[in-house]
Structure formats: structure tokens, C-alpha cells
Amino acid sequence: MIEKNSSELFLKTITKDKRTLEMFRFLVNNSMIRVINYHNTDAINSERLETEIKYFSENFHPVTIEDLDNFFKTKKWPFTKPGCIPAIFEGYRSHIDTYAKILDKYNFVGWFYIPSFFMDIPAKDQIDFCHNHRLRISTVHGYEDGRVAMNEEEIKKLSEKHVICCHTGTHYELKPNATEEELRHEIVDAKRKLEQVTGKSCDVFCWLAGEDYAHSAWAHKYLEEAGYKYVVSNLKIEKIK
């Protein structure tokens, strides 16, 4: 009876919404690339973060843009271990000060999703910017000067070993009534900003809340105009170009 009830509860859980069911389908079908999301990576949590990254390095293969390109081209994963992408969101200063240092220690690649214009906000205004743009900055970040965003120099350094992705320009929530000016600024101009800083192509885009490509049909032309290769959502990596 307990086993039956447990099975019924499990089935009820995974079928309660489309995303949960889709995630379960991907897992049981032996998907070859896993993504783990992070936001705040404060120094106070460095021991836990290192434990996790060490585990990734021992059990998974890091993923570069070139690996992803080849995977989509050949439909084959060439490594014995499945791929793992630590996806680090929001462009916080703790990403370069804490998380990236641990990644480098274990020779693992992180994908950093950055709201492109966050770095341009004066340090004294960055906390307010976070509160006004759904950036849930930690209360234990430890930066007394108020600068909680990575600056241009830090992002450029990060790009030497890791993948820099665009998370809109201002942590922007896509809306059906968005103007062409807004979409071009949050998608096209945002990509150009990151490329100007890093000197490299920015090939990956992710909407606020991880919406998939189909969700943003009215914005497709701007994603294509900008020249992105991939849209990453909560459950998918989709090739668009």
C-alpha cells in the first residue's frame, strides 16, 4: 500500500505541470548536458560552493561554446562523462571574487549570464538598481563600498576562461507590449555591450525567468538581428542561428 501510494504521489508530482514533466523526461532519457543555476555566490558560502564544483569536476565534463556547437552539429556527445554547465546569473561581484576562483582551481568552465548595463550603474546606486530590477542581491555580500556588480575589467578577465552570456540589458522582463526600441536595447544593444567589453562574440541569450524561445515570438527578429546562436531557458538549450 505504501509503495502504491508513493508511486501515485510521484506520478502526480511529475505531471502537475508541463515543465516538471519535461524535466523528468529529459533526465530519464539520459540527457548529456546538465545545467545548475546559481545567483548569489558570497564568500560566506565558499566551502559549500567548492564542494559542489569539486563534485562537478570529478563526475562531469565542462562545456564550452565549441562543445555545444559540435554537439548540435553531430548530435553526438564525444566525452565519456556527461556535460555540466554551472550557470551563474546576474553579474554580481561575488562571481569573480568567489565562484570563478573555485572554478579555476578545478579547471571547470562556468557560463556567466550578465545583465549588460548593470556594470554601468554607479556603485552608490547599484543596490537600488537591484531592488528595482528584480535582482535579488544577498544581504551578506560583504561589499561596504556598495559596488555589487562586476565592472568591465572583471568581466573581461572572466571571459578569458569562461563563457559570457547575455541576460538582457537591465534584467528586463519580456512583455507583449514591449516597444521596438526596448527590444532592440535589451537584446541587440545588450549583446554589443558585452562584446565591446570582452572583445569576443556573445552567442548565448537568456530571458528573465528563463522563458524558452517559443515564449518570445515577437522578439525573434531582434535575437536573429543581434546574431545570437542559442537561447537558454529553464529546461532547454535551443539553437536559433
Coordinates of all heavy atoms in Angstrom, one line a residue, residues 19 37 39 89-90 133-134 136 167-168 171-174 205-212 215 232-235:
R19 N 6.4 21.8 -17.3 CA 7.9 21.9 -17.1 C 8.4 20.8 -16.2 O 9.5 20.2 -16.5 CB 8.2 23.3 -16.4 CG 8.2 24.5 -17.4 CD 8.6 25.7 -16.7 NE 8.7 26.8 -17.7 CZ 9.1 28.0 -17.4 NH1 9.4 28.3 -16.1 NH2 9.2 28.9 -18.3
N37 N 21.9 26.1 -11.9 CA 21.8 27.6 -11.8 C 22.3 28.1 -10.4 O 22.0 27.5 -9.4 CB 20.4 28.0 -12.0 CG 19.9 27.9 -13.4 OD1 20.7 27.5 -14.3 ND2 18.6 28.1 -13.6
H39 N 23.0 32.1 -8.3 CA 22.8 33.6 -8.4 C 23.8 34.2 -7.4 O 24.9 34.5 -7.9 CB 21.3 33.9 -8.0 CG 20.3 33.5 -9.1 ND1 19.9 32.2 -9.2 CD2 19.7 34.3 -10.0 CE1 19.1 32.2 -10.2 NE2 18.9 33.4 -10.7
F89 N 24.1 33.6 -12.6 CA 23.3 34.7 -13.1 C 23.5 36.0 -12.4 O 23.7 36.0 -11.2 CB 21.8 34.3 -13.0 CG 21.3 33.3 -14.1 CD1 21.5 32.0 -13.9 CD2 20.8 33.8 -15.2 CE1 21.1 31.1 -14.8 CE2 20.3 32.9 -16.2 CZ 20.5 31.5 -16.0
E90 N 23.4 37.1 -13.1 CA 23.1 38.5 -12.6 C 24.4 39.3 -12.6 O 24.3 40.5 -12.4 CB 22.5 38.5 -11.2 CG 21.4 37.5 -10.9 CD 20.2 37.6 -11.8 OE1 20.3 38.0 -12.9 OE2 19.1 37.2 -11.3
H133 N 15.0 46.1 -10.2 CA 15.0 45.3 -11.4 C 15.0 43.8 -11.1 O 15.6 43.0 -11.8 CB 16.3 45.7 -12.2 CG 16.2 47.0 -12.8 ND1 16.5 48.2 -12.1 CD2 15.8 47.4 -14.1 CE1 16.3 49.2 -13.0 NE2 15.9 48.8 -14.1
R134 N 14.4 43.4 -10.0 CA 14.3 42.0 -9.6 C 15.6 41.3 -9.5 O 15.7 40.1 -9.8 CB 13.3 41.3 -10.6 CG 11.9 41.9 -10.5 CD 11.0 41.2 -11.5 NE 10.9 39.8 -11.2 CZ 10.2 38.9 -12.0 NH1 9.5 39.4 -13.1 NH2 10.1 37.7 -11.7
R136 N 17.9 39.9 -6.9 CA 17.8 39.6 -5.5 C 19.2 39.5 -4.9 O 19.7 38.4 -4.6 CB 17.0 38.3 -5.3 CG 15.6 38.5 -5.8 CD 14.8 37.2 -5.6 NE 13.4 37.3 -6.0 CZ 13.0 37.1 -7.2 NH1 13.8 36.7 -8.2 NH2 11.7 37.2 -7.6
H167 N 22.0 38.3 -20.4 CA 20.8 38.1 -19.6 C 19.9 39.4 -19.7 O 19.5 40.0 -18.7 CB 21.1 37.8 -18.2 CG 20.0 37.3 -17.3 ND1 19.0 36.5 -17.8 CD2 19.7 37.4 -16.0 CE1 18.2 36.2 -16.9 NE2 18.6 36.7 -15.8
T168 N 19.7 39.9 -20.9 CA 19.1 41.2 -21.3 C 20.1 42.3 -20.9 O 21.1 42.1 -20.3 CB 17.7 41.4 -20.7 OG1 17.8 41.7 -19.3 CG2 16.8 40.2 -20.9
H171 N 18.1 43.3 -16.9 CA 17.3 42.3 -16.2 C 15.9 42.6 -16.5 O 15.0 42.6 -15.6 CB 17.6 42.3 -14.7 CG 17.4 41.0 -14.0 ND1 16.5 40.8 -13.0 CD2 17.9 39.8 -14.2 CE1 16.5 39.5 -12.6 NE2 17.4 38.9 -13.3
Y172 N 15.6 42.6 -17.8 CA 14.3 43.1 -18.3 C 13.4 41.9 -18.5 O 13.7 40.8 -19.0 CB 14.6 43.7 -19.7 CG 13.4 44.1 -20.5 CD1 12.8 45.3 -20.3 CD2 12.9 43.2 -21.5 CE1 11.7 45.7 -21.0 CE2 11.8 43.6 -22.3 CZ 11.2 44.8 -22.1 OH 10.2 45.2 -22.8
E173 N 12.1 42.1 -18.0 CA 11.1 41.1 -18.2 C 10.3 41.4 -19.5 O 9.8 42.4 -19.7 CB 10.1 41.2 -17.0 CG 9.0 40.1 -17.1 CD 8.0 40.2 -15.9 OE1 8.1 41.1 -15.1 OE2 7.2 39.3 -15.8
L174 N 10.4 40.4 -20.4 CA 9.7 40.5 -21.7 C 8.2 40.6 -21.5 O 7.6 39.9 -20.8 CB 10.0 39.2 -22.5 CG 9.4 39.2 -23.9 CD1 10.0 40.3 -24.8 CD2 9.6 37.8 -24.5
F205 N 21.8 33.8 -25.2 CA 20.9 34.8 -24.6 C 20.0 34.0 -23.6 O 19.5 32.9 -23.9 CB 20.1 35.5 -25.7 CG 19.1 36.5 -25.1 CD1 19.6 37.8 -25.0 CD2 17.8 36.2 -24.8 CE1 18.7 38.8 -24.5 CE2 16.9 37.2 -24.4 CZ 17.4 38.5 -24.2
C206 N 19.6 34.7 -22.5 CA 18.6 34.1 -21.6 C 17.7 35.2 -21.1 O 18.1 36.2 -20.6 CB 19.3 33.4 -20.4 SG 18.2 32.7 -19.2
W207 N 16.4 35.0 -21.2 CA 15.4 35.9 -20.7 C 15.3 35.8 -19.2 O 15.6 34.8 -18.6 CB 14.0 35.6 -21.3 CG 13.8 35.9 -22.7 CD1 13.6 35.1 -23.7 CD2 13.7 37.3 -23.2 NE1 13.4 35.8 -24.9 CE2 13.4 37.1 -24.6 CE3 13.8 38.5 -22.7 CZ2 13.3 38.2 -25.5 CZ3 13.7 39.6 -23.6 CH2 13.4 39.5 -24.9
L208 N 14.8 36.9 -18.6 CA 14.5 36.9 -17.2 C 13.4 35.8 -17.0 O 12.5 35.7 -17.8 CB 13.9 38.3 -16.8 CG 13.4 38.4 -15.4 CD1 14.4 38.2 -14.4 CD2 12.8 39.8 -15.2
A209 N 13.6 35.0 -15.9 CA 12.7 33.9 -15.6 C 12.9 32.7 -16.5 O 12.1 31.7 -16.4 CB 11.2 34.3 -15.6
G210 N 13.9 32.7 -17.3 CA 14.2 31.5 -18.1 C 13.2 31.1 -19.1 O 13.0 29.9 -19.3
E211 N 12.5 32.0 -19.7 CA 11.5 31.6 -20.7 C 12.1 31.1 -21.9 O 13.2 31.5 -22.3 CB 10.6 32.9 -21.1 CG 9.9 33.5 -19.9 CD 8.8 32.6 -19.4 OE1 8.5 31.5 -20.0 OE2 8.2 32.9 -18.4
D212 N 11.4 30.1 -22.6 CA 12.0 29.5 -23.8 C 11.8 30.3 -25.0 O 11.1 31.4 -25.0 CB 11.5 28.1 -24.0 CG 10.0 28.0 -24.2 OD1 9.4 29.0 -24.6 OD2 9.4 26.9 -23.9
H215 N 8.3 31.3 -26.3 CA 7.6 32.3 -25.5 C 7.8 33.7 -26.1 O 7.0 34.6 -25.8 CB 8.2 32.3 -24.0 CG 7.6 33.4 -23.2 ND1 6.4 33.3 -22.6 CD2 8.2 34.6 -22.8 CE1 6.2 34.4 -21.9 NE2 7.2 35.2 -22.0
V232 N 18.9 30.0 -24.0 CA 18.8 29.1 -22.9 C 17.6 29.4 -22.0 O 17.5 30.5 -21.6 CB 20.1 29.1 -22.1 CG1 20.0 28.2 -20.9 CG2 21.3 28.7 -23.0
S233 N 16.8 28.4 -21.7 CA 15.7 28.6 -20.9 C 15.8 27.6 -19.7 O 16.9 27.0 -19.5 CB 14.4 28.3 -21.6 OG 14.3 26.9 -22.0
N234 N 14.8 27.5 -18.9 CA 14.8 26.7 -17.7 C 15.1 25.2 -18.0 O 15.7 24.5 -17.2 CB 13.6 26.8 -16.9 CG 13.5 28.2 -16.2 OD1 14.5 28.7 -15.8 ND2 12.3 28.7 -16.0
L235 N 14.6 24.8 -19.1 CA 14.7 23.4 -19.4 C 15.4 23.0 -20.8 O 15.5 21.9 -21.1 CB 13.3 22.7 -19.4 CG 12.6 22.7 -18.0 CD1 11.2 22.2 -18.2 CD2 13.4 21.9 -17.0

